[in-house]
């Protein structure tokens, strides 16, 4: 069957590779894709928020299944729109996507269902902020309510900073919402738990830990993610049961009660403290770069899994995983997450031969005149499977060194919590 894939990041190239390997796929169309996807699928340049144009192209190319990678089209209702037009599509509807699209919605849902999460207050004005400040200890986390492309969260060490950041949000710094959430700061270790969900059931879809800060030793500003590894050793069976019973089940039940059952990938962002999981955030999609370490471990045909979710038949599918571990390191443009140059050629990408266990997933890349160019902040994800994280990391680092892209940088300490620096 012809398949449409929405998005253009490392996550989408990884999904595209798995879709390409599926026995059930024929032509793949990426809207808009990147240089990596262009080698195995047809890229179609388009604004993915132009739903009407998307629909036309989906019909034109006789696409029978659409898979949505990023959050923005989901939060803006692409699934509802395509379903209304009788297109088979995988992902949550607009209401359920509010789990990611509105932090206020997500926190209220936690409160109403006793889901463990940081203490919080939803604020619409400075008076609300002052009330929370009076009774809380520093640091405090300020979160813009709506989508903010990863820039909506600030950890504040002083009250002055809380007031300054809050004011910016109330004044409309983020177009998506003028509300914000103030939260207590949670200590602990972060980990992510993934699920695939249909109207009646859900199945485990991997665990991972990522590194959000740009610099070595987790220093510097936040990014979309500089690297990740799977599985997350911190999530043992006992913690997993708590995640399912205290967080996942009450959430899915609450959405069902509101007649909007969740469907799609669900990313549960957690802080683990003293063997107790606390929900930090939900994302209504796969993570990026977490997808780049989870999918290489998947053995079962991804399209078979997605179709069984669409048919609400996940209960009857067995999803098999490789026992090997996986890590990815992100090669970024110098300057990211601040200003950086685009359009710089990555000369060696075609020339050097990588180990067969190295997967290069493209993110911000473009293919022009038979050459690869950078086209974003996060440029390439270099992933590898193996039995030992330290060996995997060494192999990835040596591959990046071989690539020798002078305009890029990367973190050499991915996985430091488990394997040191
Ligand atoms: P979010 O966009 O909600 O994932 O937040 C971005 C990052 O900020 C998370 O991955 C955490 O590292 C950090 N963070 C968010 N909320 C909290 C919290 N309540 N306590 C500690 N760290 C947090
Ligand atoms: N790596 C974090 C995210 O996908 O949101």
């Amino acid at each position: 069957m012809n398949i449409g894939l929405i998005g253009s990041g490392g996550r989408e190239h990884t999904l595209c590779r798995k879709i390409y390997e599926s026995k059930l796929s024929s032509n793949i169309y990426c809207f808009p894709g990147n240089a990596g996807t262009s080698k195995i699928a047809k890229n179609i340049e388009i604004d993915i928020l132009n739903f009407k144009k998307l629909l036309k192209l989906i019909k034109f190319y006789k696409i029978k299944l659409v898979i949505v990678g990023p959050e923005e089209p989901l939060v803006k209702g692409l699934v509802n729109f395509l379903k209304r037009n009788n297109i088979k599509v995988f992902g949550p509807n607009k209401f359920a996507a509010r789990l990611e699209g509105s932090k206020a919605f997500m926190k209220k849902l936690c409160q109403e269902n006793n889901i463990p999460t940081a203490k919080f207050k939803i604020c619409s004005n400075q008076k609300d902020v002052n009330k929370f400040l009076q009774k809380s200890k520093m640091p405090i986390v300020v979160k813009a309510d709506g989508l903010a492309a990863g820039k909506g969260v600030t950890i504040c060490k002083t009250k002055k900073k809380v007031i300054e950041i809050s004011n910016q949000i109330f004044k409309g710094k983020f177009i998506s919402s003028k509300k914000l959430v103030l939260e207590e700061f949670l200590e602990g270790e972060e980990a992510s738990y993934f699920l695939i969900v249909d109207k009646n059931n859900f199945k485990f879809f991997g665990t991972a830990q990522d590194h959000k800060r740009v610099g070595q030793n987790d220093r510097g500003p936040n990014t979309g993610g500089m690297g990740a590894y799977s599985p997350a050793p911190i999530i043992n069976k006992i913690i997993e049961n708590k995640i399912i019973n205290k967080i996942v089940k009450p959430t899915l039940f609450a959405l069902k009660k509101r007649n909007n059952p969740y469907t799609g990938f669900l990313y549960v962002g957690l802080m683990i403290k003293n063997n107790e999981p606390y929900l930090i955030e939900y994302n209504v999609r796969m993570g990026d770069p977490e997808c780049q370490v989870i999918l290489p471990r998947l053995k079962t045909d991804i399209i078979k899994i997605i179709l069984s979710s669409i048919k609400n038949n996940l209960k009857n599918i067995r999803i098999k995983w490789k026992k090997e571990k996986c890590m990815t390191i992100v090669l970024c443009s110098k300057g990211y997450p601040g200003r950086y140059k685009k359009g710089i050629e990555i000369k060696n990408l075609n020339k050097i031969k990588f180990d067969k266990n190295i997967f290069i997933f493209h993110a911000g890349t473009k293919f022009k005149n038979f050459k690869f160019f950078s086209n974003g902040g996060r440029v390439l994800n270099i992933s590898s499977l193996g039995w030992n994280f330290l060996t995997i990391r060494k192999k990835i680092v040596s591959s990046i060194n071989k690539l020798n892209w002078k305009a890029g940088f990367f973190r050499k300490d991915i996985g430091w919590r488990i394997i040191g620096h």
Side-chain angles (χ1 to χ4, degrees):
M1 82 173 53
N2 287 350
I3 292 174
L5 176 61
I6 315 281
S8 61
R11 168 184 50 214
E12 284 74 26
H13 186 203
T14 316
L15 280 163
C16 191
R17 196 73 82 77
K18 275 285 169 193
I19 298 167
Y20 182 74
E21 286 167 12
S22 164
K23 287 202 180 81
L24 300 166
S25 66
S26 14
N27 296 327
I28 310 170
Y29 298 89
C30 293
F31 302 95
N34 58 32
T37 64
S38 75
K39 300 282 156 204
I40 47 177
K42 184 175 169 59
N43 281 358
I44 297 167
E45 198 57 45
I46 189 179
D47 166 10
I48 54 171
L49 298 177
N50 187 342
F51 293 175
K52 279 194 181 146
K53 198 166 168 197
L54 257 178
L55 177 66
K56 258 193 192 158
L57 290 164
I58 287 165
K59 286 186 174 163
F60 179 79
Y61 287 111
K62 300 190 167 47
I63 291 171
K64 297 296 173 226
L65 168 66
V66 176
I67 298 165
V68 189
E71 62 278 13
E72 204 178 357
L74 294 168
V75 169
K76 296 200 166 141
L78 179 58
V79 168
N80 307 54
F81 174 80
L82 291 181
K83 277 191 179 160
R84 268 202 310 277
N85 286 285
N86 300 315
I87 305 289
K88 206 180 270 176
V89 53
F90 178 69
N93 70 17
K94 191 174 180 178
F95 186 89
R98 292 179 78 197
L99 283 183
E100 177 168 1
S102 167
K103 303 249 185 223
F105 173 84
M106 183 282 251
K107 294 297 280 193
K108 261 196 255 172
L109 188 137
C110 286
Q111 193 171 41
E112 287 161 9
N113 296 281
N114 282 321
I115 294 170
T117 188
K119 288 202 189 80
F120 70 100
K121 184 171 175 69
I122 298 164
C123 304
S124 307
N125 53 52
Q126 208 59 54
K127 221 167 108 188
D128 296 338
V129 171
N130 290 338
K131 264 195 211 156
F132 190 77
L133 280 179
Q134 270 165 21
K135 54 172 192 184
S136 311
K137 281 192 295 205
M138 305 306 292
I140 286 175
V141 187
V142 185
K143 296 187 170 182
D145 171 46
L147 286 187
K151 296 185 174 69
V153 175
T154 315
I155 296 166
C156 300
K157 294 200 176 111
T158 63
K159 291 190 176 179
K160 198 171 147 221
K161 188 82 183 167
V162 173
I163 291 168
E164 179 194 323
I165 301 288
S166 305
N167 261 327
Q168 289 172 359
I169 298 173
F170 293 143
K171 280 191 188 140
K173 180 176 179 186
F174 301 104
I175 304 156
S176 50
S177 170
K178 284 187 181 176
K179 274 193 290 190
L180 58 86
V181 173
L182 293 186
E183 267 185 31
E184 69 168 345
F185 179 80
L186 293 173
E187 308 269 358
E189 187 171 336
E190 272 186 82
S192 306
Y193 189 85
F194 294 85
L195 299 160
I196 181 164
V197 185
D198 72 18
K199 283 184 181 164
N200 308 317
N201 280 286
F202 59 85
K203 283 271 158 85
F204 171 77
F205 210 70
T207 62
Q209 285 180 277
D210 79 339
H211 293 262
K212 287 210 170 76
R213 303 293 198 92
V214 72
Q216 302 272 125
N217 303 319
D218 288 335
R219 296 229 172 94
N222 259 337
T223 68
M226 298 296 293
Y229 50 96
S230 172
I234 188 167
I235 300 182
N236 57 32
K237 264 284 158 217
I238 298 170
I239 295 179
E240 179 170 16
N241 282 334
K242 288 179 185 169
I243 296 168
I244 296 292
N245 291 316
K246 293 184 175 186
I247 298 175
V248 171
K249 281 188 177 168
T251 303
L252 297 180
F253 187 66
L255 290 175
K256 223 183 230 183
K257 251 187 356 202
R258 297 196 197 179
N259 294 322
N260 277 284
Y262 192 91
T263 56
F265 290 124
L266 182 61
Y267 169 142
V268 191
L270 302 155
M271 189 68 86
I272 317 271
K273 188 186 173 187
N274 301 331
N275 283 318
E276 285 299 324
Y278 296 85
L279 179 68
I280 294 189
E281 61 164 347
Y282 274 125
N283 292 318
V284 296
R285 50 175 172 82
M286 279 307 285
D288 187 339
E290 290 88 339
C291 191
Q292 289 84 304
V293 290
I294 289 180
L295 288 193
R297 303 184 57 230
L298 178 67
K299 280 209 245 174
T300 312
D301 185 320
I302 192 155
I303 297 301
K304 197 172 148 197
I305 301 172
I306 287 177
L307 287 176
S308 87
S309 159
I310 287 177
K311 287 184 203 134
N312 296 309
N313 197 24
L314 273 176
K315 194 171 97 186
N316 293 319
I317 192 163
R318 211 174 131 220
I319 304 180
K320 290 192 196 148
W321 298 94
K322 293 181 187 162
K323 291 231 162 45
E324 289 153 281
K325 297 164 182 173
C326 192
M327 181 181 281
T328 194
I329 300 182
V330 183
L331 181 59
C332 300
S333 300
K334 276 185 186 158
Y336 174 79
R339 282 158 58 108
Y340 54 83
K341 285 195 188 134
K342 282 188 190 176
I344 303 179
E345 194 185 345
I346 313 166
K347 284 194 180 141
N348 294 335
L349 202 49
N350 262 341
K351 289 185 198 149
I352 54 173
K353 232 181 139 41
F354 292 102
D355 185 292
K356 72 171 183 8
N357 242 329
I358 289 278
F359 312 105
I360 309 259
F361 297 121
H362 290 236
T365 59
K366 221 175 184 150
F367 194 64
K368 227 171 89 183
N369 303 329
F370 303 99
K371 289 175 181 164
F372 290 102
F373 294 91
S374 64
N375 191 37
R378 292 192 291 172
V379 178
L380 295 172
N381 303 262
I382 295 84
S383 301
S384 188
L385 285 165
W387 297 103
N388 172 301
F389 279 128
L390 194 56
T391 320
I392 304 173
R393 189 172 72 186
K394 278 188 186 151
K395 194 187 273 177
I396 297 174
V397 169
S398 100
S399 304
I400 300 179
N401 287 338
K402 250 204 267 178
L403 187 64
N404 193 23
W405 187 49
K406 295 279 193 305
F409 76 97
F410 64 101
R411 276 185 63 171
K412 298 178 184 66
D413 64 342
I414 300 304
W416 64 265
R417 277 178 189 278
I418 43 170
I419 51 173
H421 291 270

